[in-house]
Amino acid sequence: GAVVSQHPSWVICKSGTSVKIECRSLDFQATTMFWYRQFPKQSLMLMATSNEGSKATYEQGVEKDKFLINHASLTLSTLTVTSAHPEDSSFYICSARRDGGGYGYTFGSGTRLTVV
Amino acid sequence: AQSVTQLGSHVSVSEGALVLLRCNYSSSVPPYLFWYVQYPNQGLQLLLKYTTGATLVKGINGFEAEFKKSETSFHLTKPSAHMSDAAEYFCAVSDYDFGNEKLTFGTGTRLTIIP
């Protein structure tokens, strides 16, 4: 149990276009999901906390208008990188916290975004 | 504010040898502590976690960690390394019980296994 599916696993897009990344909890409900960014050989940096039915909470320094987060249901959160630029190229990882019945985060498999 | 320090960005051990990955944390409240493993181009997989209770925690793949409050440490060990253990390992801390459920990660330790 506790599987999080992240799609796509990799994507290449042209500079100036937008890219949407999906994060789904397959077998549990997740009121809260998290989006991280990871640069090569570095740790994970929390970008934002996604709450079902409400606005996301962004970490300091993260551009809200560039990284749009939508958490429309208890099993789906999306991250849209708008007007992507090469510096947005990175590995993006989502995680979901299972509601009730214990504590723990489950991570998606990540999305490698390359902006050319 | 909470923080995590992982000593040693790279650790190499021989196959069959003891694995020891160090993690020290800083937290103003009793922490929840985690170890995750990441294989190339993949997400994170939970190895083990400490929330409350027994301070020696056993996880998957033969790993275990001991919470030592006096030393603010949560070091990860495995008695005998296997080639498949080669990966990146992250220690993380959370102040979940106190309204802060964010995970703060350490900088990671890359474990290399020498045949």
Side-chain angles (χ1 to χ4, degrees):
Chain A
V3 177
V4 171
S5 173
Q6 188 173 340
H7 179 81
S9 56
W10 60 270
V11 58
I12 301 174
C13 71
K14 291 184 177 181
S15 188
T17 61
S18 296
V19 174
K20 179 182 287 187
I21 303 170
E22 292 188 348
C23 181
R24 292 180 184 273
S25 56
L26 297 185
D27 51 0
F28 66 99
Q29 293 185 334
T31 302
T32 305
M33 292 186 177
F34 304 86
W35 288 95
Y36 295 85
R37 183 173 181 176
Q38 186 180 30
F39 291 101
K41 300 183 179 181
Q42 294 188 29
S43 188
L44 282 74
M45 300 300 296
L46 180 65
M47 298 175 65
T49 302
S50 171
N51 301 293
E52 187 269 336
S54 64
K55 292 183 178 180
T57 302
Y58 290 81
E59 295 299 300
Q60 189 172 8
V62 176
E63 298 177 62
K64 301 178 182 180
D65 295 332
K66 166 166 277 297
F67 300 101
L68 300 179
I69 292 173
N70 183 276
H71 194 155
S73 77
L74 288 172
T75 59
L76 173 65
S77 176
T78 61
L79 168 67
T80 301
V81 183
T82 63
S83 186
H85 288 90
E87 57 266 30
D88 298 325
S89 298
S90 193
F91 193 59
Y92 293 88
I93 306 176
C94 71
S95 73
R97 182 174 67 81
R98 180 194 289 268
D99 289 338
Y103 173 81
Y105 298 106
T106 301
F107 285 78
S109 55
T111 297
R112 172 75 59 193
L113 170 64
T114 301
V115 184
V116 297
Chain B
Q2 55 195 11
S3 65
V4 175
T5 300
Q6 289 184 243
L7 296 177
S9 58
H10 291 85
V11 171
S12 296
V13 302
S14 297
E15 188 175 15
L18 171 71
V19 175
L20 171 60
L21 304 182
R22 299 179 185 275
C23 173
N24 288 87
Y25 70 91
S26 173
S27 178
S28 57
V29 299
Y32 285 11
L33 296 161
F34 307 80
W35 274 100
Y36 287 89
V37 61
Q38 184 181 35
Y39 297 98
N41 294 312
Q42 294 188 26
L44 274 67
Q45 181 181 9
L46 179 66
L47 283 176
L48 48 80
K49 64 183 179 184
Y50 168 78
T51 54
T52 58
T55 57
L56 181 61
V57 181
K58 295 184 183 299
I60 63 172
N61 301 340
F63 285 94
E64 62 181 37
E66 186 172 11
F67 169 60
K68 292 186 176 181
K69 184 178 179 179
S70 61
E71 299 177 7
T72 60
S73 69
F74 191 58
H75 302 330
L76 181 71
T77 60
K78 181 174 180 177
S80 177
H82 190 273
M83 294 300 295
S84 61
D85 294 328
E88 188 87 18
Y89 291 80
F90 292 95
C91 182
V93 64
S94 169
D95 292 346
Y96 178 73
D97 263 357
F98 296 85
N100 178 11
E101 60 179 319
K102 300 176 188 177
L103 276 177
T104 299
F105 287 89
T107 51
T109 298
R110 182 168 298 277
L111 177 63
T112 301
I113 309 299
I114 303 167

